[in-house]
């Protein structure tokens, strides 16, 4: 993971992190008032389709539970398909949030402050969507609890040698810690909302949520260290989570899965796609919420740099996979990489993956591309498409043509597969829009602190 | 039912909870509307035959009620009221929870295969071969193995109908009796029988007696895919028809002229065993097989040298071969010990003229490989005269058979590897020609009563026979069948038949050996046995099949101790010493030579030829309502739930079609549309179509599966025809549900094959790198007690599918249907992989490899299971615990052999109560969302453990066979205890040919394979 | 300003300052005057705030360490007991107790418990959740969470001379000075 932050090294000569002169009051106004304003048509225009997606998700899940896994396209030999593809994809997206808020905090990257809040929210919601898939992909989801080590009358417990059990712990830990980290960060801002709330009812609600925070010196005294420690925990956690996810594949014997390069290559990929998603969300968010003064072009540019860096790592991963397949002289792997993936039934997806993940980020070498909002927004979306293709290629093509040619077979997704994917996208957007509406999208107290520091710096020289 | 409960019974079958066997009702009325039925006894017409339609509704209700009761009754205590005997090897008295095995037999083409049926408390669940039967030798084919599923088919006809109205059996008999009185007056002038060929002595006896009663009545036999040509051939050769029998254990060189003699049914079981025993390099000299055929067959897949010719050219090749053999036999080959010993002058004995071939050499001039092969084969044959066999297929006209016999006689294998016996069945003429006269009579309205026991003639008869139309002219047609199929609606009477496992009977094997067929269960529906039907024409139907059968045999057997003998016959399934003695008829050279000459081809066949094929699944259509067989992958094409127009790659290119495109086939003005399928190894310019599909009867499973190739069948071209038109239907597609998409091995060491020469030179050359221990971090676990393992000899495996069906029957493996197979979700625990070698245009060879759970000691599937649902037993079994499985499918992903099967949907959900009766109670029926796979038949291991423990001894080979092993006609699959040095499997795994699939993964599989050995002719290298 | 009758347990005198610097200065001054029960209220952590209040090193890290240790032990222990002691099975020829395979979960549980300990430790140490507090009695105190910098000096009614404290705070430049009292249930 070490590689990620370096390109994000602070360049304080760069564009300012906060535009214009701001007092705490003005910041409150600009950052909190949208909570009290009525939701505009723009918000509804986004929210209603998202809600529809959530409905679709509900329908698909019901159908799945009634009929069985067969409503998906999975088959023999392709035992895993959209279920695990989407799982890995969402988890990956989640990672950027933690990375921005935790790692950049540890590296004291000031530019993180105004984007970490919704990056974290994004993490939380992405992990929620991700968690849906492994839970529902089993043949008998109502027995999923057998994966937990509880004193069972069956006598036999879970098999802790199985990476799937590792997943259970990794994902649930990741979800819990992300939530705590996010919530702890929210408390002071919730207090601010409580104290600036126009009506009694709102005041009570936010009062409860803020747990009675007073911003007392004694609170801050423990709060600062606690927040720092959570960040410290999240950093190795985020690395471990995707490492473990990659173990699902790396520990198997299937050509295309059985590779030691997977952990770093997956983590890099995760950050890559995660940052792309942050950009995808940040650009409209800052427009609609009028946050241009705190989420400045400098933030976006830094994120593009991170994407460039991680994109290169991912590219290196691809390169190594193919090199090892050739150099190792393993006929099964050579077949997989050079025949099946490059020319096989899904070669289109394969080349699209290479284009989106390798070619597109290269443009970020140029400052023009790094600072052009429209371009970077499209690029960020393309990168997410590319990363989805990567998971498809890794999971489906490897399973589709493994050792015995007799068992090779075709794979095609069903409407339920697509329905659930679109559904989770809708679900994610629903949560995210609710978040933007009812919670401070920017870490207000941190921004105040930052602006205070910047002022201090300014005054000193 | 005269002597049920009679004191002389050896031992009675138990009846749970009731002292007396219950009386069995015969029809819905008899059961439900008793009073009406009683009236019927003295009425000529059935009660309510004249009721308005609402009366019909009541009958429907009653019949349904009756059917329900039938199921209820069938549930656990239904068993024949008559006395049947358990197989000798099992304890006589039935212990609940312990199955019994009963010997019986089934007929196909009038020839019997001896079977052994497992029955649980009167519930037959599993068919196996009878080791004491000469044609079974303990093996059974897929169609035999699927009999239980056919028995429990819920769509079987349940009611005796007259013009669609259900009537009582009694009513039918009374009406018939009246009709027969009329027929008696004119001596049966207008009484005809259209029968399924049969060898049943009792049926034949009844037929004779009917002939006595109605001197002018006639019997015509019909089979849509019969063996008429075989008998025609012997008739040509020897003046009268004989049953040719081939002893492949003595055959050193075999030339097959379009004959699929290894296919797993009838004598094929014996052929396969004898053939396979000669393909084992560690057991004496190998034979050599030349196959000349049009479509790739199982036999063709085993060939050392194979030639694909148009069906019409096979005869020409026979002629060519005859000429070459004549050449080769002109001078006795020096050192032909056999000929020397016999001291016969071959010239004197084989007047085959060397000139014979000359006529066709020109024809094949542009195909040197044909001439080359013919010459080489001829030389080979003449080098092994006594041990040479030339065999022609049933699809080839009698002349080709004649040529084959001529060559055999010339070579002197006549009377050694090839023998002849009196045919077991008199019904030898089964083709359209035999039916022609009857049809004429029918059209002329000269037939009043026609009794049909032939299987679905309206569907099976050639299109130009127009049997359906003829039947309309027959006022009193009586059709006797399992289903109300295509023929039923055209007949006044429909009489539901009893299933072979429901009815008493007898039958003779090809060699004449007689078996008594025992019913395993009382008729589930109001079925009438064939014997009873014929007895009805003597007004003796009420005596029941059992009684008539015993009467006949009592007369045959010496008076002393008939009961004792009877019990022995039933117990063993065969009557001792009833095999016909081989006869050596004189070959009539004069006529023969003249006739063979006619084989010279008229013109070069440039246009397309249509070639009909009877596949090993649904046969001529009689099995097309059996889901197991519909879902069984075709041995060659791996196609399920469909038949297709098979074309060679070149022909496909010519027609510009690919697999899945739809072809419109037209022949003499008739057309059908069929999905094309490209199959390597098939003759160019030939379109192969399987019969038995495109059914339109009342069978729900069979309906709409495939297309009816029979529509292109004509009386004078029952097996192949020239002048076929074929064009692609634009934009039309029909996806074909095949279970194997990729047909090449991509140079991977999976199904290994080596030539005999290579093998003799360096036995382990191919295998040494694929066996033995490998370095590993984990100390291998010890298995001190039992160590179960399997050896599969690919050299023996013909890919006949018997093991697949056996596994399905034994382990309650569900059928998933076409849609799911298209999604690649078939559930077969054991599949047969089929690879082509060489280029797919014209593959050099085809290898089959049964692939099932390898029970790896270091199983990749196990450590990835999050819930310990698949773990290792202390005897090395890779166990699957269904009720613990949550269905992550991780194990399936991580199985390098991809042998695990997942219940994607609730495949066992909507099962008919009747179908449930066919389930094996020893094996869990899996639910949705659960992974499953081969268990090495762990339930059989446990049974063996119980029996041997009672005797206080360890389990030995003899105590235990897996289902696949038991069914295998070639004994290619051997299972046993690797720790027992005496066990066959332990010995086989020591053979130099032994290797492990994917050995480099070090999964340490318990299932080992033996390479396939080919024995090519050096002259053709 | 006087509060309605009733017996308060404690009195708070609060005052708002315009900047963080002024606030910290006030804190130091007040503590020099001998008032130890002082606290600050600010929208974001103040640099040097803790020092000014003379707070001891936070105990959160210790709690976090405990959590991590507990998680690691629990994780490995459970796995070892279930797979190697209670129900050992031959799973693909792997040893029942295989440490490398146990690492991921051990780590994850360490992180999980540590995080939970940190959160609840923080709650415990800051006496949260605490929906009601006396200082909320002062209407303009609401600015404490948004932009205001507040100080509070607390004491028992007996020992504390609110008048004097208010005077001192005013002297230090405090505005909105007031004394609030905890409501008695």
């Amino acid at each position: 993971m070490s590689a990620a932050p370096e390109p994000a090294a602070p360049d304080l000569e760069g564009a300012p992190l906060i535009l214009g002169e701001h007092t705490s009051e003005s910041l409150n106004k600009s950052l909190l008032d949208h909570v009290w304003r009525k939701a505009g048509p723009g918000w509804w225009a986004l929210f209603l389709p998202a809600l529809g997606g959530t409905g679709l998700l509900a329908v698909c899940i019901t159908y799945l539970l009634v009929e069985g896994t067969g409503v998906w396209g999975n088959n023999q030999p392709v035992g895993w398909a959209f279920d695990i593809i989407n799982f890995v994809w969402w988890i990956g997206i989640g990672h950027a949030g933690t990375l921005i808020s935790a790692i950049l905090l540890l590296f004291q990257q000031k530019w993180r402050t105004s984007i970490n809040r919704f990056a974290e929210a994004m993490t939380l919601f992405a992990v929620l969507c991700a968690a849906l898939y492994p839970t529902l992909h089993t043949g008998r989801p109502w027995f999923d609890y057998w994966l937990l080590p509880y004193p069972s009358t069956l006598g036999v417990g879970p098999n802790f040698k199985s990476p799937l059990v590792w997943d259970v712990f990794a994902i649930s830990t990741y979800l819990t810690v992300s939530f705590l980290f996010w919530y702890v960060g929210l408390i002071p801002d919730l207090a601010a909302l409580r104290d600036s709330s126009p009506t009694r009812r709102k005041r009570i609600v936010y009062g409860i949520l803020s747990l009675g925070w007073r911003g007392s010196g004694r609170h801050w005294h423990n709060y600062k260290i606690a927040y720092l420690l959570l960040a410290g925990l999240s950093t190795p956690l985020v690395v471990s989570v995707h490492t473990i996810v990659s173990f699902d594949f790396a520990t198997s014997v299937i050509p295309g899965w059985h590779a030691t390069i997977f952990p770093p290559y997956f983590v890099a990929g995760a950050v890559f796609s995660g940052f792309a998603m942050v950009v995808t969300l940040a650009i409209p968010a800052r427009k609609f919420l009028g946050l241009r003064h705190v989420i400045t072009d400098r933030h976006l540019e830094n994120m593009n740099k991170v994407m460039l860096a991680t994109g290169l790592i991912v590219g290196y991963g691809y390169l190594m996979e193919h090199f090892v397949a050739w150099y190792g002289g393993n006929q099964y792997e050579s077949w997989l990489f050079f025949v099946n993936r490059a020319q096989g039934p899904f070669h289109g997806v394969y080349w699209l993956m290479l284009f989106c993940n390798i070619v597109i980020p290269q443009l970020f070498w140029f400052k023009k591309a790094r600072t052009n909002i429209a371009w970077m927004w499209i690029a960020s979306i393309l990168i997410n498409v590319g990363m989805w293709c990567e998971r498809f290629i890794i999971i489906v093509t490897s399973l589709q043509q493994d050792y015995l040619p007799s068992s090779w077979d075709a794979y095609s997704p069903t409407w339920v597969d697509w329905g659930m994917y679109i559904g989770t996208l809708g679900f994610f957007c629903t949560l995210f829009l609710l978040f933007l509406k009812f919670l401070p999208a920017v870490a207000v107290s941190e921004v105040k602190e930052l602006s205070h520091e910047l002022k201090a710096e300014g005054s000193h020289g | 039912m005269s002597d049920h409960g009679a004191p002389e019974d050896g031992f009675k079958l138990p009846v749970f909870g009731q002292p007396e066997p219950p009386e069995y009702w015969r029809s819905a009325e008899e059961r439900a509307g008793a009073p009406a039925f009683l009236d019927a006894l003295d009425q000529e017409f059935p009660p309510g035959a004249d009721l308005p339609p609402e009366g019909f509704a009541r009958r429907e209700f009653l019949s349904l009620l009756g059917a329900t009761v039938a199921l209820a009754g069938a549930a656990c205590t239904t068993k024949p009221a008559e006395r049947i005997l358990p197989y000798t090897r099992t304890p006589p008295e039935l212990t609940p929870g312990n199955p019994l095995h009963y010997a019986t037999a089934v007929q196909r083409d009038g020839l019997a295969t001896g079977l052994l049926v497992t029955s649980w408390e009167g519930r037959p669940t599993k068919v196996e071969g009878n080791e004491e039967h000469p044609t079974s030798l303990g093996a059974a084919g897929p169609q035999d193995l699927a009999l239980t599923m056919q028995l429990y088919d819920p769509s079987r006809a349940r009611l005796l109908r007259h013009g669609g109205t259900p009537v009582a059996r009694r009513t039918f008999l009374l009406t018939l009796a009246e009709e027969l009185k009329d027929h008696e007056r004119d001596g049966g002038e207008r009484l005809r029988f259209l029968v399924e060929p049969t060898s049943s002595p009792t049926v034949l006896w009844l037929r004779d007696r009917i002939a006595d009663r109605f001197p002018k009545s006639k019997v015509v036999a019909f089979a849509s895919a019969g063996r008429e040509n075989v008998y025609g051939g012997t008739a040509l050769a020897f003046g009268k028809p004989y049953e040719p029998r081939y002893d492949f254990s003595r055959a050193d060189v075999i030339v097959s002229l379009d004959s699929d003699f290894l296919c797993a049914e009838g004598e094929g079981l014996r052929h396969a065993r004898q053939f396979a025993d000669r393909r084992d390099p560690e057991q004496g000299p190998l034979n050599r097989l030349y196959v000349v055929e049009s479509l790739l067959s199982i036999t063709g897949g085993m060939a050392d040298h194979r030639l694909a010719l148009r069906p019409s050219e096979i005869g020409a090749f026979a002629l060519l071969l005859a000429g070459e053999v004549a050449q080769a036999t002109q001078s006795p080959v020096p050192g032909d010990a056999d000929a020397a010993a016999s001291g016969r002058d071959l010239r004197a004995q084989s007047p085959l003229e060397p000139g014979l071939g000359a006529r066709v050499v020109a024809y094949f001039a542009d195909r040197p490989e044909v001439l080359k092969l013919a010459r080489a084969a001829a030389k080979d044959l003449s080098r092994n005269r006594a041990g040479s066999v030339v065999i022609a297929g049933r699809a080839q006209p009698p002349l080709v058979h004649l040529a084959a016999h001529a060559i055999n006689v010339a070579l002197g294998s006549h009377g050694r590897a090839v023998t002849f016996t009196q045919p077991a069945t008199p019904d030898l003429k089964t083709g359209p020609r035999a039916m022609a006269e009857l049809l004429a009579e029918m059209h002329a309205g000269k037939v009043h009563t026609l009794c049909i026991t032939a299987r679905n003639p309206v569907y099976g008869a050639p299109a130009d026979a127009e049997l359906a139309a003829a039947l309309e002219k027959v006022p009193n047609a009586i059709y006797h069948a399992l289903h109300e199929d295509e023929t039923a609606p055209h007949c006044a009477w429909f009489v539901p038949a009893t299933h072979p496992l429901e009815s008493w009977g007898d039958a003779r094997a090809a060699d004449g050996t007689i078996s008594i067929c025992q019913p395993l269960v009382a008729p589930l529906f109001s079925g009438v046995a064939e014997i009873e039907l014929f007895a009805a024409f003597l007004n003796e139907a009420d005596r029941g099949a059992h009684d008539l059968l015993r009467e006949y045999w009592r007369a045959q057997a010496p008076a002393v101790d008939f009961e004792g003998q009877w019990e022995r016959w039933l117990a063993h399934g065969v009557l001792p010493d009833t095999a016909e003695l081989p006869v050596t008829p004189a070959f009539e050279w004069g006529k023969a030579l003249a006739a063979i000459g006619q084989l010279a081809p008229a013109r070069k066949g440039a246009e397309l030829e249509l070639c009909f094929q009877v596949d090993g699944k649904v046969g001529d259509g009689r099995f097309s309502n059996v889901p197991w067989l519909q879902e069984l992958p075709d041995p060659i094409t791996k196609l399920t739930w469909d038949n297709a127009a098979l074309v060679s790659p070149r022909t496909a290119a010519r027609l510009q079609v690919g697999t899945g495109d739809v072809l419109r086939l037209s022949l003499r003005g008739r057309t059908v549309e069929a999905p094309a399928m490209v199959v390597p190894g098939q003759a160019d310019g030939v379109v192969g179509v399987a019969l038995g599909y495109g059914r339109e009867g009342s069978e729900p499973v069979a309906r709409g599966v495939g297309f009816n190739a029979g529509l292109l069948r004509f009386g004078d071209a029952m097996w192949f025809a020239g002048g076929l038109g074929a064009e692609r239907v634009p934009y039309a597609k029909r996806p074909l549900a095949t279970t194997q998409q990729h047909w090449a091995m991509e140079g991977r060491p999976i199904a290994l094959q080596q030539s005999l020469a290579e093998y003799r030179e360096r036995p382990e050359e191919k295998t040494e790198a694929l066996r033995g221990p490998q370095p590993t971090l984990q100390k291998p676990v010890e298995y001190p007690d039992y160590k179960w393992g399997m050896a599969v000899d690919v050299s023996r495996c013909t890919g006949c599918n018997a093991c697949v069906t056996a596994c399905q029957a034994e382990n309650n493996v569900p059928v998933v249907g076409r849609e799911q197979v298209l999604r690649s979700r078939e559930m077969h625990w054991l599949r047969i992989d089929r690879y082509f070698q060489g280029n797919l245009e014209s593959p050099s060879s085809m290898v089959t490899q049964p692939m099932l759970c390898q029970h790896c000691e270091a199983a990749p599937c196990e450590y990835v299971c999050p819930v310990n649902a698949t773990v290792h037993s202390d005897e090395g079994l890779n166990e699957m615990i269904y009720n613990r499985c949550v269905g992550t499918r991780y194990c399936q992903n991580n199985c390098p052999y991809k042998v695990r099967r997942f219940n994607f949907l609730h495949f066992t959900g909507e099962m008919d109560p009747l179908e449930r009766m066919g389930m094996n109670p020893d094996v869990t029926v899996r639910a949705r969302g659960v992974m499953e796979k081969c268990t090495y038949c762990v339930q059989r291991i446990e049974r063996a453990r119980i029996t041997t423990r009672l005797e206080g001894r360890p389990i030995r080979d003899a105590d235990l066979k897996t289902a696949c092993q038991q069914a295998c006609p070639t004994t290619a699959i051997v299972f046993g205890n690797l720790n027992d040095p005496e066990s066959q499997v332990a010995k086989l795994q020591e053979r130099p040919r032994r290797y492990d699939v994917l050995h480099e993964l070090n999964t340490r599989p318990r299932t080992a394979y033996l390479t396939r050995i080919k024995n090519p002719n050096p002259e053709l290298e | 300003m006087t509060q309605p009758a009733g017996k308060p347990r404690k009195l708070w005198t609060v005052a708002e300052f315009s900047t963080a610097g002024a606030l910290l200065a006030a804190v130091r001054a007040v503590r020099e005057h001998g008032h130890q029960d002082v606290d600050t209220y600010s929208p974001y952590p103040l640099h040097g705030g803790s020092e000014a209040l003379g707070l001891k090193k936070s105990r959160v890290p210790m709690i976090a360490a405990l959590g991590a240790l507990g998680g690691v032990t629990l994780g490995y222990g459970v796995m070892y007991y279930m797979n190697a002691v209670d129900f050992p099975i031959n799973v693909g020829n792997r040893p029942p107790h295989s440490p490398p395979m146990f690492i991921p979960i051990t780590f994850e549980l360490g992180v999980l418990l540590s995080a939970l300990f940190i959160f609840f430790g923080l709650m415990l140490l800051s006496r949260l959740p605490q929906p009601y507090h006396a200082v909320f009695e002062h209407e303009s105190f609401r600015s404490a969470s948004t932009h205001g910098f507040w100080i509070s000096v607390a004491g028992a009614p007996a020992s504390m001379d609110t008048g004097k404290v208010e005077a001192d705070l005013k002297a230090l430049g405090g505005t909105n000075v007031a004394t609030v009292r905890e409501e008695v249930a």
Side-chain angles (χ1 to χ4, degrees), chain B residues 783-801:
Chain B
Y783 298 95
D785 190 359
Y786 289 103
K787 188 173 174 181
W788 303 116
M790 185 177 275
V792 181
D793 188 343
V794 182
S795 202
R796 286 174 167 273
C797 175
T798 65
C800 71
N801 272 338

Side-chain angles (χ1 to χ4, degrees), chain A residues 117-148:
Chain A
R117 169 64 43 74
F118 76 67
E120 286 163 34
M122 184 193 76
T123 299
L124 203 55
F125 304 148
V127 176
L128 271 179
C129 292
L132 264 181
Y133 284 101
T135 323
L136 291 170
H137 97 294
T138 57
R140 306 196 289 173
W142 48 93
F143 287 134
D144 282 350
Y145 67 90
W146 284 351
L147 272 76
L148 302 172

Side-chain angles (χ1 to χ4, degrees), chain B residues 281-320:
Chain B
E282 288 89 356
Q283 284 181 5
L286 259 64
N287 61 17
R288 181 172 294 141
L289 174 61
Y290 300 84
V291 174
V292 182
E293 62 184 1
S294 310
L295 308 178
L296 183 50
S297 71
I298 287 176
T299 310
M302 297 297 284
D304 297 303
H305 295 289
R306 184 174 170 279
L307 197 60
L309 293 181
R310 294 157 171 274
S312 61
E313 290 173 337
I314 304 282
F317 182 87
L319 188 55
L320 180 65

Side-chain angles (χ1 to χ4, degrees), chain A residues 65-66 70 72 74-76 79-80 83 137 139-140 159 162 248 251-254 332 402-403 406 409 412, chain B residues 748 823-826 833 863-866 868 884-890 893-894 898 902 904 928 1000:
Chain A
L65 292 178
V66 171
W72 288 343
N74 304 35
N75 61 11
Q76 287 131 186
W80 288 348
D83 43 359
H137 97 294
R140 306 196 289 173
N159 166 22
S162 165
D248 286 349
T251 58
S252 79
V253 300
I254 302 303
Y332 306 110
D402 63 346
Y403 289 99
S406 62
D409 215 308
S412 65
Chain B
R748 303 177 177 191
R823 276 221 171 271
S824 178
R825 290 171 181 170
E826 62 273 7
D833 293 348
Y863 69 89
V864 297
C865 174
N868 278 324
R884 175 69 176 168
C885 177
V886 296
T888 65
R889 302 186 297 289
Y890 200 171
N893 291 348
N894 208 28
K898 289 287 175 284
F902 184 66
F904 280 94
R928 156 197 151 187
E1000 72 270 36

